[in-house]
Amino acid sequence: MSKDSKKNSLSNSLIRPISNEKWQPISIPLVSIIISFIAAAIVILVMGKNPLQAFYNLFQGAGILPKPTYAGYKSMLTDFLSLLNAMTPLVFASLAVAVAFKAGLFNIGVSGQMLVSGFLATIIVGYSGLDAIMAKPLVLLIGMIAGGLMGGLVGWLKYKFNINEVVSTIMLNYIAQYVISFFIQMYYIDPVSRQSKYIAEVSRLTLVNVEVANLKMDIPLGFILAIIIAILIKFVMDKTVVGFEIKAIGSNRNAAKYAGINVGGTTVLAMVISGGLAGLAGVTYYLGYFSSIQPKVLSSIGFDSIAVSLLGNSHPIGVIFSSFLISVIDQGNTYMSSQAGIRQEISSVIIGLILLFSACGEYLKHKVSRVKEKEVDRKESEA
């Protein structure tokens, strides 16, 4: 066999698992994850550690695998529920980015939308003294409205004045960060924690330290809602006129306008939906996973969600799985560090590698199409 033949054979064997276009939204991220874990294993080996043991400890820390021992009132179930609690706002935030991507927009202002929604829900409901039956739904409603209004403003600026959404969202992030920091430090600061005063437990979207079967667990009420909304977003995008119009303007705005689609109105609507999802991320984060707001700090979830959405191919169901994977790595890194003797920064290396290889998705699709074209040409020449 010639050198070129061997090279082509190797290339084809590597490309074959992702050659089916129908399954590429799943196969390409999966291949990216496998390659990234192999690369991370090499890094861990270079450090003189056992990568299999490190990954095992990582999954133990996230509640996927059992630990040898647990503290009082804790178990693998409590660790897993903590994982879902951390994952919930990430799912909402990643869905927000995904919807904007579908419309050809880049919502980099998710962190600011989260902060505004969380702050308004905190001062309106968190400090109000309402009972749980009224408080929890009202928190969700305020989050959606506040985030939707901020997202709609970005969409309107894009439509009316053609202001790039990246610029406007970054500016709104800064405005939200410092204005809200001013109000917290002036009126709502806790003198001990130097954060906003803690909200009432009845308005919190996570049930904390619920005692069941001699276990104390945190139950994230927003998790089921996140799954339902992801399925709803998929339905809207695949089966409704609105979803078709959003994807049409994302593919080609000029062609969509020529086809009679209201590009401006659809742009605003897409950003309203994106902002509303970011608002839900905000209330499940600041009134769920946490119960207060740190001044002058934007949540990293708003920026992580961009990468998570890319890993999930901006597909609502893909976003759930990619959020789960990133949350597992993020939540399990402390235990991995303590048990395997590996620095916590390795988890960031793993996440970075996953996202690096995921960013090569379009290149892989191009490579697949090129291999198929060469195969067709070869068969035609042989015939």
Side-chain angles (χ1 to χ4, degrees):
M1 185 181 290
S2 68
K3 186 176 181 180
D4 289 341
S5 298
K6 289 181 179 179
K7 183 178 178 181
N8 289 334
S9 177
L10 178 61
S11 177
N12 290 339
S13 64
L14 294 173
I15 293 297
R16 194 172 295 114
I18 57 173
S19 61
N20 190 326
E21 293 183 4
K22 180 182 177 181
W23 293 102
Q24 280 181 354
I26 297 173
S27 60
I28 289 179
L30 187 60
V31 168
S32 300
I33 291 166
I34 292 171
I35 294 174
S36 63
F37 269 94
I38 293 172
I42 294 171
V43 173
I44 294 171
L45 278 171
V46 170
M47 296 172 62
K49 304 292 183 180
N50 185 343
L52 294 179
Q53 183 64 42
F55 295 148
Y56 186 79
N57 294 146
L58 183 73
F59 291 126
Q60 284 180 313
I64 307 300
L65 295 172
K67 297 175 182 175
T69 59
Y70 289 92
Y73 300 102
K74 297 297 179 183
S75 73
M76 189 173 83
L77 176 60
T78 61
D79 286 349
F80 184 72
L81 287 173
S82 296
L83 168 70
L84 297 185
N85 193 23
M87 173 184 165
T88 300
L90 183 59
V91 173
F92 281 123
S94 302
L95 287 172
V97 175
V99 169
F101 276 155
K102 292 291 185 183
L105 301 168
F106 193 9
N107 186 3
I108 204 171
V110 170
S111 288
Q113 293 152 18
M114 286 176 61
L115 181 59
V116 170
S117 302
F119 176 72
L120 290 177
T122 294
I123 62 174
I124 295 172
V125 182
Y127 302 148
S128 66
L130 291 172
D131 59 40
I133 295 176
M134 293 185 63
K136 295 184 192 300
L138 193 55
V139 164
L140 293 170
L141 183 62
I142 291 171
M144 285 191 292
I145 293 173
L149 288 174
M150 276 196 75
L153 174 61
V154 172
W156 181 77
L157 291 172
K158 173 78 172 181
Y159 156 63
K160 195 70 176 179
F161 304 105
N162 198 30
I163 296 176
N164 188 287
E165 72 277 3
V166 174
V167 176
S168 59
T169 50
I170 290 175
M171 294 301 102
L172 286 172
N173 276 352
Y174 279 113
I175 293 170
Q177 181 180 358
Y178 290 106
V179 169
I180 289 174
S181 174
F182 168 79
F183 279 104
I184 289 175
Q185 292 181 332
M186 288 296 294
Y187 304 107
Y188 304 106
I189 195 73
D190 184 296
V192 177
S193 67
R194 304 309 299 172
Q195 300 185 110
S196 67
K197 297 174 184 177
Y198 293 102
I199 61 170
E201 287 296 323
V202 292
S203 60
R204 193 168 175 180
L205 298 176
T206 297
L207 303 180
V208 181
N209 288 329
V210 177
E211 192 164 346
V212 179
N214 203 34
L215 296 173
K216 288 185 178 180
M217 55 189 72
D218 296 343
I219 302 176
L221 300 177
F223 178 74
I224 299 299
L225 180 62
I227 302 302
I228 292 171
I229 287 182
I231 295 170
L232 181 62
I233 292 295
K234 184 181 185 306
F235 175 81
V236 169
M237 289 297 170
D238 292 346
K239 304 294 184 180
T240 68
V241 174
V242 170
F244 172 80
E245 291 180 344
I246 288 175
K247 290 190 290 186
I249 67 170
S251 298
N252 192 314
R253 300 178 72 88
N254 292 328
K257 186 176 181 180
Y258 182 77
I261 295 174
N262 183 353
V263 174
T266 305
T267 298
V268 175
L269 177 60
M271 284 305 300
V272 167
I273 296 172
S274 178
L277 291 167
L280 289 174
V283 293
T284 52
Y285 183 75
Y286 292 112
L287 293 93
Y289 187 60
F290 291 109
S291 58
S292 64
I293 302 172
Q294 186 177 355
K296 295 185 180 179
V297 175
L298 288 173
S299 168
S300 63
I301 285 179
F303 304 105
D304 294 342
S305 62
I306 298 169
V308 172
S309 182
L310 289 172
L311 177 60
N313 273 320
S314 298
H315 189 286
I317 307 305
V319 159
I320 294 174
F321 288 103
S322 59
S323 298
F324 180 76
L325 174 65
I326 299 303
S327 297
V328 165
I329 297 171
D330 189 53
Q331 292 295 112
N333 64 39
T334 302
Y335 189 78
M336 179 186 71
S337 176
S338 64
Q339 295 298 308
I342 296 173
R343 295 181 64 86
Q344 291 186 25
E345 288 79 3
I346 288 296
S347 66
S348 298
V349 172
I350 297 172
I351 293 173
L353 288 169
I354 290 173
L355 302 177
L356 174 64
F357 289 113
S358 297
C360 299
E362 290 302 320
Y363 169 76
L364 291 175
K365 290 179 184 178
H366 171 72
K367 189 70 175 175
V368 167
S369 64
R370 291 287 297 162
V371 168
K372 286 182 176 180
E373 288 174 6
K374 288 181 179 179
E375 188 70 17
V376 171
D377 293 341
R378 183 183 64 79
K379 289 180 178 179
E380 288 179 352
S381 64
E382 289 177 352

